[in-house]
């Protein structure tokens, strides 16, 4: 395009316009810069404070200055931390070295004792006397406990035979130990099966005393426990209860009566399983200081063992208690009368025999417990009869003899026989 020639006046106008725009732009820039700079209105005190602080930054402290922060690894940079860790490592190595040395010393002592024992056995003559069995039986008091068992329990020949076998094992084991033979604690955990009143608790007490006499139990006491004593009602309650009963029984015998109630096959969340697991662990790891005996009906115990095979395998002595015969129950009544210093004449025994024969046909029969209840009622009947004669009727001036106080007659048992032979079934007394 052809260039247009400007006039002089037009050219001057454009130059002035450009100059004014330049001045305005420069003024705007100066104004913006003043907004970021300290104003001239700062007081003299403020200016003096800034100068004395030595901080040339008017916006505060040094923004890039390191203040330590909150880094969790910051402690690793502290002076002396590495030295402390090295000391801890040295302590751990020293403890491990001392433990290894202690194990080596124990192994060396065991080897020396083993060599001494071998030398002793090689030098021991074959005819060396270890003592007689009777000597150990009497010396340790085992014979006394077996005699008490015969004295307290009527019948139960198979049970007494098994108890004597266990006692014989303990006696011979102690004789072997005296000569230096290898010995090991046999499995003394027991299972007692049978109906109520067949003498299971009595045998457990005698076994505890035998174990104490032979040195296999510290005290030989018997602690009887049921499900209520071992199983809790809520989560976390079972373990403390079971461990508390075990603690009480340490040094003796823990007799778990009706042990099959610990396991409920219909409920997988039943707390009894936890108690069983604790018992199994104690039976395995603490058999030197605790004998566990489980008791109950034979059929239910067999079913219980089928559910908990670990329990059956840990029990080395299974003893079955049969029911008593009627003649044996009469003999039990005679033992009870002897212990209580009563006298029962032959005629009274005849009536009691009839009562037992009839009572065994009725429900809730409990062998020796039923006999004990019958004896308690006969004693009460004798007391009522004697009180009636001498206190109320005034016979013999109210004075009774020793025979009167010790006598249990046929009339005292006849009351019991009449109760269970009543024609009205609702009025039969089963106790």
């Amino acid at each position: 395009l052809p260039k247009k020639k400007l006039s002089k006046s037009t050219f001057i106008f454009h130059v002035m316009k450009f100059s004014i725009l330049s001045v305005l732009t420069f003024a705007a820039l100066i104004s913006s810069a003043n907004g970021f700079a300290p104003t001239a209105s700062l007081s003299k005190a403020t200016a003096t404070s800034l100068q004395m602080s030595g901080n040339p930054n008017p916006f505060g402290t040094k923004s890039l200055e390191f203040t330590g922060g909150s880094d969790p690894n910051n402690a690793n940079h502290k002076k002396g931390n590495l030295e402390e860790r090295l000391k801890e490592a040295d302590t751990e190595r020293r403890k491990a070295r001392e433990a290894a040395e202690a194990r080596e010393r124990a192994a060396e002592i065991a080897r020396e004792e083993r060599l001494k024992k071998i030398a002793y056995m090689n030098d021991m003559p074959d005819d060396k006397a270890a003592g007689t069995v009777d000597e150990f039986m009497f010396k340790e008091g085992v014979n006394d406990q077996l005699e008490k068992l015969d004295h307290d329990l009527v019948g139960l020949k198979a049970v007494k035979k098994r108890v004597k076998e266990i006692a014989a094992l303990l006696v011979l084991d102690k004789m072997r130990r005296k000569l230096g033979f290898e010995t090991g604690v046999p499995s003394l955990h027991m299972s007692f099966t049978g109906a109520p009143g067949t003498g299971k608790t009595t045998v457990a007490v005698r076994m505890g005393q035998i174990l104490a006499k032979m040195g296999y139990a510290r005290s030989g006491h018997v602690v009887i426990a049921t499900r209520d004593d071992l199983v809790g009602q809520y989560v976390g309650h079972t373990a403390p209860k079971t461990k508390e009963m075990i603690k009480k029984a340490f040094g003796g015998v823990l007799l778990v009566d009706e042990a099959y109630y610990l396991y409920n096959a219909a409920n997988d969340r039943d707390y009894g399983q936890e108690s069983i697991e604790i018992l199994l662990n104690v039976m395995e790891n603490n058999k030197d200081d605790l004998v566990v005996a489980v008791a109950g009906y034979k059929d239910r115990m067999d079913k219980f063992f089928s559910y908990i095979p670990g329990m059956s395998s840990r029990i080395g002595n299974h003893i079955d208690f049969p029911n008593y015969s009627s003649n044996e129950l009469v003999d039990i009544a005679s033992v009870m009368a002897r212990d209580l210093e009563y006298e029962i004449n032959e005629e009274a025994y005849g009536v009691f025999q009839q009562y037992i024969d009839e009572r065994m046909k009725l429900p809730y029969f409990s062998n020796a417990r039923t006999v004990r209840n019958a004896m308690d009622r006969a004693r009460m009947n004798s007391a009522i009869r004697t009180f009636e004669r001498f206190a109320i009727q005034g016979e013999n001036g109210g004075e009774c003899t020793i025979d009167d106080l010790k006598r249990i007659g046929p009339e005292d048992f006849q009351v019991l026989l009449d109760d269970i032979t009543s024609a009205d079934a609702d009025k039969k007394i089963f106790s």
Side-chain angles (χ1 to χ4, degrees):
L1 293 175
K3 294 182 179 180
K4 186 178 179 180
K5 187 176 181 181
L6 297 175
S7 63
K8 184 177 180 181
S9 60
T10 302
F11 175 77
I12 294 172
F13 172 76
H14 285 294
V15 170
M16 293 179 63
K17 180 180 179 181
F18 176 77
S19 300
I20 295 171
L21 289 175
S22 299
V23 172
L24 293 175
T25 302
F26 181 75
L29 291 175
I30 294 298
S31 175
S32 299
N34 290 336
F36 294 96
T39 61
S41 61
L42 286 175
S43 64
K44 184 177 181 181
T46 303
T48 304
S49 175
L50 290 175
Q51 292 175 0
M52 293 179 64
S53 65
N55 183 11
N57 187 357
F59 301 103
T61 59
K62 298 179 182 179
S63 59
L64 298 181
E65 184 179 0
F66 177 72
T67 58
S70 59
D71 187 357
N73 296 320
N74 189 45
N76 295 331
H77 302 286
K78 292 181 178 180
K79 184 178 179 180
N81 186 264
L82 180 59
E83 296 178 0
E84 293 177 0
R85 286 185 291 165
L86 290 175
K87 290 180 179 179
E88 291 177 359
D90 291 340
T91 302
E92 293 176 359
R93 284 193 295 269
R94 178 176 55 79
K95 290 181 178 179
R97 183 173 63 255
E98 291 176 352
E101 293 174 353
R103 288 193 296 268
E104 291 178 0
R105 287 196 298 271
E108 183 64 26
I109 292 173
R111 284 192 295 269
E112 292 177 357
E113 291 179 351
R114 177 69 176 171
L115 292 174
K116 290 180 181 179
K117 186 173 183 179
I118 293 174
Y120 171 78
M121 297 293 291
N122 291 333
D123 297 338
M124 183 177 63
D126 295 336
D127 58 350
K128 180 177 177 59
T132 65
V133 175
D134 288 340
E135 177 185 347
F136 272 80
M137 293 283 284
F138 281 101
K139 180 179 178 181
E140 304 297 340
V142 177
N143 195 71
D144 292 339
Q145 297 300 325
L146 294 177
E147 288 181 354
K148 289 181 180 179
L149 191 65
D150 284 332
H151 184 269
D152 295 342
L153 285 183
V154 174
L156 299 179
K157 293 182 179 179
V159 174
K160 294 176 181 178
K161 180 175 180 291
R162 187 57 185 274
V163 173
K164 291 179 179 178
E165 291 172 352
I166 297 174
L169 171 63
L170 300 180
V171 170
L172 269 296
D173 187 71
K174 195 156 190 176
M175 295 177 69
R176 285 172 53 87
R177 192 187 312 166
K178 179 180 178 181
L179 291 178
F181 287 101
E182 288 291 340
T183 60
V185 178
S187 177
L188 297 174
H189 302 307
M190 305 176 192
S191 170
F192 299 154
T193 55
T198 51
K200 297 186 292 295
T201 303
T202 302
V203 171
V205 171
R206 291 287 172 260
M207 281 303 307
Q209 294 170 347
I210 291 174
L211 295 175
K213 295 291 184 181
M214 294 302 299
Y216 288 93
R218 285 184 284 112
S219 61
H221 66 290
V222 177
V223 176
I224 302 176
T226 62
R227 176 185 168 90
D228 291 340
D229 300 313
L230 299 172
V231 182
Q233 301 299 321
Y234 49 84
V235 175
H237 191 210
T238 296
K241 291 189 68 174
T242 302
K243 292 178 180 178
E244 180 64 23
M245 293 302 297
I246 291 174
K247 183 179 179 181
K248 292 179 180 178
F250 268 135
V253 178
L254 175 63
L255 177 60
V256 183
D257 196 17
E258 297 183 311
Y260 35 75
Y261 286 129
L262 292 178
Y263 182 78
N264 186 358
N267 185 3
D268 294 337
R269 302 179 64 182
D270 184 70
Y271 300 136
Q273 182 65 38
E274 182 181 3
S275 179
I276 293 173
E277 293 174 357
I278 295 174
L279 287 173
L280 293 176
N281 184 59
V282 171
M283 291 171 69
E284 186 67 27
N285 299 328
N286 300 92
K287 59 183 179 181
D288 295 346
D289 198 32
L290 178 66
V291 174
V292 176
V294 293
Y297 289 99
K298 181 172 176 53
D299 55 343
R300 298 185 185 180
M301 289 300 298
D302 290 341
K303 190 174 182 180
F304 172 68
F305 288 142
S306 68
Y307 289 130
I308 314 292
M311 179 72 74
S312 179
S313 63
R314 285 172 171 81
I315 295 176
N317 303 283
H318 295 262
I319 305 176
D320 185 47
F321 291 71
N323 290 322
Y324 289 105
S325 66
S326 61
N327 291 332
E328 289 175 337
L329 293 172
V330 173
D331 292 339
I332 291 174
S334 176
V335 171
M336 291 180 179
R338 179 199 64 200
D339 293 341
L340 294 173
E341 297 184 345
Y342 277 92
E343 294 180 356
I344 304 176
N345 58 36
E346 292 299 325
E347 185 180 358
Y349 276 123
V351 179
F352 184 72
Q353 180 79 58
Q354 297 179 41
Y355 165 76
I356 289 296
D357 291 338
E358 292 297 326
R359 183 64 185 84
M360 292 177 71
K361 302 175 184 178
L362 299 176
Y364 316 120
F365 181 72
S366 300
N367 291 281
R369 293 180 187 173
T370 298
V371 173
R372 183 183 60 195
N373 293 337
M375 287 297 299
D376 289 342
R377 292 192 60 200
R379 290 168 53 205
M380 183 177 64
N381 293 336
S382 175
I384 293 173
R385 175 175 49 79
T386 303
F387 185 83
E388 177 74 20
R389 286 175 55 196
F390 297 99
I392 297 179
Q393 297 179 3
E395 182 178 330
N396 195 28
E399 295 183 3
C400 59
T401 64
I402 294 177
D403 291 338
D404 293 325
L405 296 177
K406 296 175 63 176
R407 177 179 177 272
I408 295 180
E411 61 271 28
D412 300 322
F413 289 119
Q414 188 64 45
V415 177
L416 279 68
L417 181 60
D418 293 341
D419 287 339
I420 64 173
T421 56
S422 173
D424 189 355
D426 295 336
K427 295 182 179 179
K428 290 181 183 291
I429 297 178
F430 299 147
S431 61

